Amino acid sequence: MKWATGILAIIFATTFSWNTSSSLSESRIDNLTQLGWYLFFDSDLSGSGKISCSTCHNPKLAFTDGYRQSFNAYGEKVLHNSPSLLNVADNATFNWSDHHIKSLRQQLHGPMGSELPGEMEFDKYSIEIPDWSNIPECDKIELIESALVNYISQLNRRSSTFDKLEMNEKQSEGFRIFNEVGCDNCHGGIDFDEPLKSEYIGQYRIPTLRNVTVTYPYLHDGSEVKVADAIKRHTRISDQNISKIIVFLDCLTDTSYGNLKYFYDPFNAKNEI
């Protein structure tokens, strides 16, 4: 793996007590989060050694990848478009098409495993961590999953124009129309991904609208490239009102994490500790 000696000293400064009957404790969260940061950007975590979690969830694209359908470790298309991971810790569900996946740890089993078509196709036997040979097999997986969950759960930023209550008149008008025509029936809640009633829950998970104007293409299969066309798929309103809604949606864009190093590749020279 791409580990530097100094980083290893920091991450493994804490003595880990391996116990298969209990979860990793809160006291290890800082070390785990840092380990998760490195694992998230490390291509050695994939079966081919060519992609990392950040390949499909690129921080420069608000943790999406810009493809209609993402590609797995061997260059094959997977079933769905990659959703953003920003603020994902508060999701009610975590999978595009399986509403039973209600935790981030559960969701990790899909990309990390070898379900067809495989994604990361993670090989637990190829990962090299100091004293790895002394760690029980089940605890290796627990360590990796816990580290990634700790890291991903902290990718939270809600500092958009909307959050700061700084919308101008046109943005406020767009927000009014957004609610008036019923967009909030499906896109409610703090991250605009919660349906108001269970009857609005469809076959696919409702995606967040945060950063929506910069996370194209849209829908589970990436079949729409423009925000306006995605809106037209779900409601019949005038082009003028669609344009006004888009003005509002644009104020949900949040680039405030842009200068925070833990949101970016630790193997980049600028981010080395």
Side-chain angles (χ1 to χ4, degrees), residues 16-258:
F16 287 85
S17 176
W18 301 101
N19 186 338
T20 58
S21 64
S22 63
S23 299
L24 297 172
S25 69
E26 288 293 319
S27 63
R28 301 167 190 162
I29 187 170
D30 289 339
N31 283 341
L32 279 177
T33 301
Q34 189 168 8
L35 176 58
W37 178 35
Y38 279 80
L39 288 171
F40 187 85
F41 289 93
D42 197 333
S43 58
D44 287 344
L45 200 61
S46 69
S48 67
K50 295 181 179 179
I51 70 170
S52 65
C53 300
S54 65
T55 302
C56 293
H57 300 286
N58 186 339
K60 293 180 180 179
L61 298 173
F63 290 87
T64 63
D65 64 6
Y67 292 109
R68 291 191 171 193
Q69 290 171 265
S70 299
F71 295 89
N72 70 6
Y74 299 98
E76 304 164 321
K77 282 186 179 181
V78 299
L79 296 176
H80 300 125
N81 169 271
S82 290
S84 175
L85 292 184
L86 289 172
N87 309 305
V88 73
D90 294 321
N91 280 11
T93 61
F94 290 81
N95 189 279
W96 268 120
S97 57
D98 187 348
H99 298 299
H100 296 96
I101 305 298
K102 296 186 181 296
S103 75
L104 189 52
R105 184 180 288 270
Q106 276 183 295
Q107 174 58 25
L108 278 176
H109 296 163
M112 296 285 288
S114 56
E115 298 177 5
L116 296 177
E119 296 182 31
M120 293 286 287
E121 301 199 4
F122 162 65
D123 181 359
K124 62 187 177 184
Y125 299 106
S126 69
I127 301 301
E128 297 179 3
I129 292 179
D131 298 324
W132 188 252
S133 60
N134 297 324
I135 301 173
E137 201 62 57
C138 55
D139 287 335
K140 295 177 186 179
I141 305 303
E142 182 183 6
L143 171 61
I144 290 171
E145 289 184 349
S146 296
L148 285 170
V149 166
N150 271 271
Y151 174 68
I152 296 170
S153 295
Q154 295 183 56
L155 296 175
N156 301 317
R157 297 300 294 179
R158 296 184 179 93
S159 300
S160 67
T161 299
F162 175 83
D163 297 299
K164 291 183 287 187
L165 305 178
E166 295 177 354
M167 290 192 295
N168 60 34
E169 185 176 340
K170 290 184 177 180
Q171 291 166 336
S172 296
E173 181 183 11
F175 185 40
R176 177 184 62 78
I177 295 172
F178 175 90
N179 293 300
E180 191 175 87
V181 301
C183 297
D184 62 330
N185 285 336
C186 291
H187 294 283
I190 190 172
D191 292 319
F192 300 89
D193 60 356
E194 297 178 20
L196 296 182
K197 299 178 181 179
S198 59
E199 64 191 78
Y200 296 121
I201 300 176
Q203 181 179 0
Y204 296 101
R205 179 170 64 83
I206 297 170
T208 179
L209 294 184
R210 289 185 176 275
N211 296 296
V212 67
T213 59
V214 296
T215 53
Y216 49 85
Y218 306 107
L219 309 181
H220 69 281
D221 58 358
S223 57
E224 297 294 354
V225 179
K226 297 180 179 179
V227 177
D229 292 333
I231 294 174
K232 290 177 182 178
R233 287 273 292 268
H234 296 89
T235 185
R236 295 181 178 180
I237 58 176
S238 68
D239 289 344
Q240 183 180 23
N241 278 344
I242 288 176
S243 295
K244 291 179 179 180
I245 289 174
I246 292 174
V247 170
F248 158 65
L249 294 177
D250 195 47
C251 82
L252 297 179
T253 300
D254 181 358
T255 59
S256 64
Y257 66 89

